[in-house]
């Protein structure tokens, strides 16, 4: 059986019709559970789910209640996932251990996005827009009667319709009066969740049929509505919404070939918090087609990744630090999947000589840090060779310090492959620390074939005697150790 979880009754009804049309030629029984369902329909659906007679059920939060029993649930589809808490999704997954879960959203919540980036969940990113679709023009403004009138007049003049979102039911009629004063010639319909199903359906059908010019509604219109003729939307008090909400609301317009407009209105007297200002700046900046993923990444940056093992869907890891937390988590995930470590083993190389990137070679600090990071994460010599070619191409011939830095990195890679933890110079010799005695024994035998001496001192240390002239010259020393570590 398949359960499709949706956030609103309007979207549940829309999906029910779509599923019925798509599967009309298949012997599947499709049912819906929402407050639009009659008591008899609900009883029949519950019995059908328990017996296995119902194959696909589409419902709101009603699907997560205790009296729902499935005969053989195999797939859970969560539409508009950002509208649900972890508790609701986990309740449905707990019904059977082998339930596959497909979540769909234009703006994944930080917790889900973070899990996909770590490899705990798979992600598919659809970036190709429908044909002839144009990006929505987004503007942030204080409440301005002249701006509102001009935008509504322009939309009505081209035969279109307007969404106006105000998310408080108790004063939504005051906003309707205010709009009626600004554009007295426009007809206004009001829709919100406290209307009865027949009233709400009537409001929506009138708007779809073009009988009303402006639909003044709460965020009940946020999910899934597809009305191509409505191409201007106003969001009142936009500073109180999250990034995902704003992006979803903006997605209600621009669903045809016409240029669409989204106006994010802020109260004239409101003082914006820094977080609200960052959200509004982000929604205005990321207005191109397929910008949902970029917005979700910004949301992850602003709100944090949440709690992987708990119910928090956002929040920062204050005590550990985000980067360390990600590294620890990635190591644990790779271990469970029996994959090799993402990071090379740490080898402490303490040898004389200057090995670094001079300031006059790479002036930009960000670029220099990026090169250092790539060098530290290299796990094969060819990666270091490629980086050397790239540096020469971008910044010119490598100075001696940079060449020595790359040679040291090659030495580190070769040492890691042999189970070596540390390489350091001491008077008359090189000390080698190791954690794999068998590999060091093999190194000793290979060195003997080359006429070199490696003495194993104890369980964790080996020494290589060298001439003073080799120890005094950093380049000779590096070359000597590298030749020692190369396979015979």
């Amino acid at each position: 059986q398949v359960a499709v979880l949706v956030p609103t009754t309007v979207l549940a009804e829309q999906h029910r019709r779509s599923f019925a049309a798509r599967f009309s030629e298949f012997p599947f029984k499709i049912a819906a559970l929402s407050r639009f369902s009659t008591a008899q329909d609900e009883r029949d659906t519950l019995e059908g789910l328990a017996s296995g007679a119902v194959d696909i059920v589409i419902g709101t939060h009603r699907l997560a209640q205790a009296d729902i029993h499935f005969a053989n649930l195999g797939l859970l589809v969560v539409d508009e996932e950002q509208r649900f808490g972890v508790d609701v999704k986990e309740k449905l997954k707990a019904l059977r251990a082998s339930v596959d879960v497909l979540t769909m959203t234009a703006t994944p919540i930080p917790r889900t996005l973070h899990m996909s980036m770590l490899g705990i969940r798979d992600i598919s990113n659809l970036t190709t827009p429908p044909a002839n679709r144009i990006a929505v023009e987004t503007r942030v403004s204080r409440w301005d009667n002249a701006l509102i009138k001009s935008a509504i007049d322009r939309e009505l003049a081209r035969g279109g319709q307007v969404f106006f979102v105000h998310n408080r039911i108790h004063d939504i009629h005051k906003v309707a009066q205010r709009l009626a004063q600004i554009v007295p010639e426009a007809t206004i319909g009001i829709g919100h969740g406290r209307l009865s199903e027949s009233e709400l359906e009537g409001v929506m059908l009138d708007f779809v049929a073009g009988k009303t010019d402006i639909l003044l509604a709460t965020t009940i219109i946020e999910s899934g509505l597809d009305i191509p003729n409505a191409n201007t939307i106003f969001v009142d008090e936009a500073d109180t919404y999250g990034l995902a909400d704003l992006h979803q609301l903006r997605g209600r317009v621009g669903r045809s070939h016409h240029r669409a407009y989204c106006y994010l209105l802020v109260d004239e007297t409101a003082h914006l918090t820094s977080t609200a200002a960052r959200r509004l700046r982000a929604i205005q900046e990321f207005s191109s087609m397929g910008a949902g993923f970029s917005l979700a990444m910004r949301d992850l940056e602003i709100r944090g990744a949440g709690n992987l093992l708990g119910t928090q869907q956002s929040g920062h890891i204050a005590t550990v630090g985000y980067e360390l937390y990600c590294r620890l988590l990635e190591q644990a995930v790779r271990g469970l999947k029996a994959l090799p470590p993402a990071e090379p083993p740490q080898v402490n190389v303490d040898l004389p000589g200057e090995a670094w990137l001079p300031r006059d070679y790479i002036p930009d600090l960000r670029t220099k840090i990026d090169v250092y990071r790539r060098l530290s994460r290299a796990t094969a010599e060819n990666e270091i060779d490629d980086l050397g070619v790239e540096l020469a191409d971008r910044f010119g011939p490598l100075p001696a310090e940079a060449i020595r830095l790359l040679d040291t990195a090659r030495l580190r890679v070769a040492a890691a492959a042999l189970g070596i933890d540390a390489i350091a110079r001491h008077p008359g010799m090189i000390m080698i620390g190791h954690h794999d005695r068998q590999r060091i024994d093999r190194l000793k035998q290979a060195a003997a074939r080359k006429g070199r001496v490696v003495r194993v001192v104890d369980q964790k240390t080996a020494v290589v005697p060298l001439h003073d002239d080799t120890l005094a010259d950093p380049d000779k020393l590096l070359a000597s150790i590298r030749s020692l570590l190369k396979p015979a």
Side-chain angles (χ1 to χ4, degrees):
Q1 292 170 302
V2 177
V4 183
L5 184 62
V6 298
T8 65
T9 51
V10 173
L11 186 56
E13 181 60 21
Q14 188 169 304
H15 272 336
R16 187 192 65 76
R17 292 177 182 176
S18 298
F19 272 69
R22 293 287 181 94
F23 290 108
S24 59
E25 297 181 5
F26 295 87
F28 300 147
K29 184 172 182 182
I30 300 168
L33 272 180
S34 69
R35 67 186 183 91
F36 282 3
S37 307
T38 65
Q40 183 60 47
D41 287 342
E42 189 171 308
R43 279 195 298 273
D44 292 344
T45 301
L46 294 181
E47 290 172 6
L49 289 174
S51 66
V54 172
D55 300 297
I56 301 173
V57 62
I58 302 159
T60 55
H61 288 76
R62 178 74 180 84
L63 280 179
Q65 292 182 6
D67 60 339
I68 303 288
H69 301 285
F70 291 89
N72 186 21
L73 180 63
L75 174 65
L76 168 63
V77 181
V78 184
D79 196 13
E80 306 290 0
E81 186 227 10
Q82 79 283 355
R83 299 290 298 276
F84 296 96
V86 175
D87 286 342
V88 174
K89 289 173 280 192
E90 294 300 319
K91 274 181 188 175
L92 285 169
K93 282 166 63 178
L95 295 173
R96 274 186 84 237
S98 59
V99 173
D100 292 319
V101 182
L102 171 66
T103 59
M104 300 183 295
T105 175
T107 48
I109 57 173
R111 181 177 182 268
T112 303
L113 178 62
H114 184 58
M115 287 168 73
S116 67
M117 290 168 66
L118 289 171
I120 296 173
R121 299 184 65 169
D122 295 323
I123 185 170
S124 295
N125 191 18
L126 306 181
T127 56
T128 306
N132 302 320
R133 198 63 75 80
I134 306 172
V136 179
E137 189 171 318
T138 307
R139 300 177 187 174
V140 179
S141 169
R142 299 278 180 180
W143 182 288
D144 182 346
N145 289 355
L147 172 72
I148 294 170
K149 178 173 175 56
S150 170
I152 293 176
D153 285 345
R154 180 186 60 230
E155 188 59 52
L156 298 184
R158 63 179 182 180
Q161 293 166 284
V162 177
F163 287 117
F164 198 103
V165 179
H166 179 81
N167 205 30
R168 288 198 307 272
I169 296 175
H170 72 87
D171 62 350
I172 197 168
H173 289 279
K174 291 182 181 177
V175 177
Q177 293 170 6
R178 202 171 175 185
L179 286 175
Q181 291 172 353
I182 295 172
V183 277
E185 67 279 9
T187 54
I188 301 172
I190 299 175
H192 55 76
R194 287 189 191 164
L195 295 175
S196 68
E197 53 264 34
S198 57
E199 290 175 316
L200 182 58
E201 189 174 16
V203 170
M204 297 305 298
L205 289 175
D206 284 349
F207 189 66
V208 171
K211 295 178 182 177
T212 50
D213 299 317
I214 302 172
L215 177 60
L216 173 59
T218 58
T219 51
I220 195 171
I221 68 161
E222 177 182 327
S223 302
L225 281 187
D226 188 5
I227 303 176
N229 196 45
N231 283 299
T232 296
I233 186 169
F234 294 89
V235 182
D236 193 19
E237 297 180 353
D239 53 307
T240 62
Y241 293 78
L243 261 181
D245 290 326
L246 292 173
H247 184 62
Q248 292 285 345
L249 287 168
R250 180 171 63 183
R252 294 314 100 216
V253 296
R255 305 179 78 87
S256 69
H257 59 280
H258 294 297
R259 167 69 73 185
Y261 299 89
C262 173
Y263 295 91
L264 306 176
L265 303 178
V266 180
D267 190 84
E268 303 100 312
T269 58
H271 175 71
L272 295 184
T273 64
S274 60
T275 303
R278 288 175 73 187
R279 286 199 300 264
L280 293 175
R281 197 178 305 119
I283 198 75
Q284 190 169 15
E285 178 184 347
F286 296 114
S287 58
S288 59
M289 300 301 296
F293 191 80
S294 302
L295 271 173
M297 289 296 294
R298 181 63 60 86
D299 200 19
L300 174 62
E301 178 187 323
I302 293 173
R303 294 202 291 153
N307 188 344
L308 202 68
L309 303 176
T311 57
Q312 274 184 295
Q313 301 202 131
S314 63
H316 292 280
I317 303 99
T319 52
V320 180
Y322 184 67
E323 187 172 351
L324 176 59
Y325 171 77
C326 289
R327 284 171 54 196
L328 292 172
L329 203 54
E330 184 180 14
Q331 288 172 15
V333 170
R334 294 183 75 86
L336 290 170
K337 290 184 173 182
L339 296 172
E343 298 180 7
Q346 292 300 312
V347 180
N348 183 19
V349 179
D350 183 11
L351 297 174
E354 294 184 343
W356 57 302
L357 297 171
R359 183 178 298 175
D360 56 355
Y361 185 61
I362 303 181
D364 182 57
L365 186 60
R366 282 178 177 272
T367 306
K368 188 183 293 187
I369 290 172
D370 181 57
V371 172
Y372 279 130
R373 183 184 292 115
R374 289 170 61 188
L375 206 55
S376 69
R377 292 180 177 176
T379 56
E381 261 197 56
N382 63 326
E383 294 179 38
I384 300 168
D385 295 339
D386 291 344
L387 183 58
V389 171
E390 181 185 329
L391 289 176
D393 183 50
R394 290 173 66 185
F395 306 104
L398 276 71
E401 297 91 343
I403 293 172
R404 197 172 294 120
L405 178 67
L406 296 181
D407 285 340
T408 305
R410 292 186 184 97
L411 178 62
R412 174 182 57 75
V413 169
L418 291 169
I420 293 172
D421 298 318
I423 299 175
R425 188 187 74 165
H426 284 261
M429 61 184 168
I430 290 294
M431 300 283 289
I432 297 177
H434 59 84
H435 61 266
D436 190 333
R437 176 63 184 266
Q438 290 183 338
R439 289 189 179 184
I440 289 296
D441 286 339
R442 288 200 293 272
L443 173 63
K444 182 180 177 181
Q445 294 165 10
R449 289 195 291 271
K450 297 177 184 177
R452 305 288 295 276
V453 178
V454 174
R455 295 179 184 149
V456 179
V457 179
D458 55 31
Q459 291 299 315
K460 292 188 175 180
T461 313
V463 298
V464 182
L466 291 173
H467 294 295
D468 288 342
D469 60 336
T470 302
L471 289 167
D473 187 326
D475 294 322
K476 277 188 180 180
L477 181 60
L478 265 176
S480 179
I481 301 172
R482 283 189 62 201
S483 69
L484 175 69
L485 299 186
K486 279 186 178 179

